[in-house]
Amino acid sequence: MEPRDNQAEASYTFGDRSSSDIVVRLRNEEGRDDWIYCHSKILTNKSQYFADRLSDKWPTCKILDSRYCVEVICQESDYDHHINLLRLLYLVSDSDDVHEDNLCHNVKSALGILCVAKELSCPQIVTACVNYLEAVPWEEGEEEEILRIVPRIGSEAEPVLARLQPVDQSAVTGIFVSAFRFATSSPPLPLGEIKSSAQEQIEYMITEDDDAPLLIVDEEIKLEVKECVKSLFVRFFQCLEETSFKPLESEDISKKGSFRMVLSDLSWAFQILTKMEVVREFVVTWVDTSEKLVKVVEKLETSVTETVEIRVKIIEVTSKVLEAIGYGTVILPTAKRLQMVKLWLPFVRNTKPLVEPVVTGDEEVESVVRYKIDGEIWQALESSFVSIILALPSADQAEILTEWLSKNGLYPDLTEAFEVWCYRSKVAKRRLGLTGGEEEENGIS
């Protein structure tokens, strides 16, 4: 039988036994054996593999029927992909553009056909699959499969991976700066979810986990971040001024919402500054404004839910600031540290009953609002207060502890500071050699 080369490609129909001059025999190890009726002109024009198998140079070309039956061994999982590939060979044309949307129906199918097309040397089908995969969206599982398969295909499949390639630092920096500006801009509430996403991704970009941080933080980035935080503080001071001149009434929901939002953004910004090791300006600014902030907030009506939530947000920021001071991340003069304890210890003590139930004997009194602070924040505040107090002069410690004991040891628990103060005070003369000095002055040798 002579190959029917004189027929136009358009007249060939896949699987048409009456006009076929070649059989592709698909087999697998499970015993499946299918005979696919094809046309040699189609196969040899579109596949180098079949062109070689059907050429006079193939070692078995002289064996009877070898030129009219090509056996292809494949895995069961690839069976349908082989059949689809053979069908697609009838759809692509040398002269016309290949319409990938008509050839591939989903990512899984395109990947399977791509592998078979590469194996059988079908460049047009490879190109069609690559173009399809490069253009369509991928689900997470599909993306992992693409990463497993596509690199094995070769350079012709590189466009598929374009969306996964790393970008240079200038692009990363541009994204980071834009995101940080937006995240600290206190946008309107309808944009809250977008802002939250921006904040999450900023943290992800600078966090080292299984991978190195995406962003290399340099002095230029630190400067930009600090400028954004300064702008955030400007809005914070505006809210504070408005509140100090005209205390927020219960109906001033929008103003209270803005105040809470700015405080939330400050709390988040502090975390970023901590990771970048540039928290000093933030801490100093918060310390300098603490006295006014406490006075303004103490005047607000505590029975109003929004007001209590403002107190909670303030405590969240203050907790971070006190921790930076207490553990020496930021070094401040003694007077500033003493001021922070005297201002914030009563504020925190007065706020805790407003947000958590108070147990009195066998009775539990409900808090003003059902608004909880993470228990770790209360613990962190307690530890920070103890650390700051123990670093103050002994006389200042005594004054703070006296006031605490007069409150019957209410929160925060300063027992550790009390015990350390007692020990230090008792052994102070001996440890500092003062006893010996006094004896010499009294003429005792």
Side-chain angles (χ1 to χ4, degrees), residues 103-384:
L103 301 183
C104 304
H105 301 292
N106 54 59
V107 171
K108 181 179 179 181
S109 173
L111 282 172
I113 294 171
L114 176 62
C115 291
V116 177
K118 178 66 175 179
E119 178 186 347
L120 301 183
S121 300
C122 307
Q124 286 179 289
I125 304 299
V126 168
T127 299
C129 292
V130 167
N131 291 343
Y132 176 85
L133 292 169
E134 189 274 334
V136 300
W138 309 333
E139 295 181 359
E140 184 176 352
E142 294 172 340
E143 188 167 308
E144 295 302 318
E145 192 70 3
I146 286 170
L147 283 170
R148 185 181 69 84
I149 292 174
V150 170
R152 305 201 307 253
I153 301 301
S155 59
E156 61 264 48
E158 287 180 359
V160 176
L161 302 178
R163 70 183 73 174
L164 304 179
Q165 297 298 325
V167 297
D168 58 42
Q169 272 298 302
S170 62
V172 176
T173 299
I175 285 286
F176 178 87
V177 170
S178 296
F180 198 88
R181 287 173 180 169
F182 176 73
T184 54
S185 65
S186 301
L189 286 177
L191 299 178
E193 290 187 9
I194 301 177
K195 183 187 75 172
S196 296
S197 175
Q199 291 178 345
E200 289 176 6
Q201 296 312 309
I202 287 169
E203 291 186 55
Y204 180 72
M205 290 171 73
I206 63 175
T207 299
E208 182 174 3
D209 39 38
D210 293 339
D211 300 299
L214 177 59
L215 179 73
I216 299 175
V217 179
D218 55 22
E219 292 304 316
E220 183 179 350
I221 293 174
K222 289 180 181 179
L223 180 62
E224 179 66 40
V225 167
K226 287 192 285 188
E227 288 300 318
C228 289
V229 175
K230 285 182 182 178
S231 298
L232 187 56
F233 264 114
V234 168
R235 288 191 292 278
F236 169 71
F237 293 141
Q238 289 173 347
C239 291
L240 196 58
E241 287 297 322
E242 291 175 2
T243 306
S244 62
F245 287 122
K246 181 183 179 182
L248 299 178
E249 304 296 337
S250 59
E251 64 268 14
D252 294 331
I253 302 299
S254 62
K255 289 184 179 180
K256 290 180 179 179
S258 298
F259 203 178
R260 289 199 309 274
M261 180 186 297
V262 173
L263 287 166
S264 295
D265 292 344
L266 282 171
S267 180
W268 171 81
F270 189 93
Q271 296 176 219
I272 303 302
L273 294 173
T274 300
K275 292 184 178 181
M276 293 185 175
E277 300 180 348
V278 286
V279 296
R280 180 173 180 79
E281 290 183 20
F282 188 110
V283 171
V284 171
T285 303
W286 192 261
V287 170
D288 290 342
T289 195
S290 286
E291 184 173 2
K292 181 175 183 178
L293 176 58
V294 170
K295 287 181 180 179
V296 170
V297 177
E298 289 286 12
K299 293 179 181 179
L300 301 180
E301 177 57 57
T302 57
S303 63
V304 180
T305 300
E306 290 79 8
T307 300
V308 178
E309 291 181 2
I310 287 175
R311 294 176 73 100
V312 168
K313 291 298 181 183
I314 290 173
I315 285 178
E316 289 177 357
V317 179
T318 302
S319 173
K320 294 178 172 65
V321 172
L322 290 174
E323 187 172 5
I325 297 171
Y327 293 98
T329 303
V330 176
I331 305 300
L332 295 179
T334 302
K336 294 287 188 182
R337 288 181 278 126
L338 178 60
Q339 178 194 33
M340 288 296 284
V341 173
K342 288 186 173 182
L343 283 172
W344 290 109
L345 196 150
F347 184 90
V348 170
R349 177 189 296 145
N350 294 335
T351 301
K352 196 170 191 290
L354 301 177
V355 297
E356 291 191 347
V358 179
V359 178
T360 306
D362 296 330
E363 297 182 358
E364 184 179 276
V365 181
E366 286 295 325
S367 60
V368 175
V369 293
R370 296 181 179 275
Y371 193 99
K372 295 289 186 180
I373 293 183
D374 189 337
E376 292 184 1
I377 293 181
W378 294 124
Q379 185 62 45
L381 280 165
E382 198 169 88
S383 299
S384 297

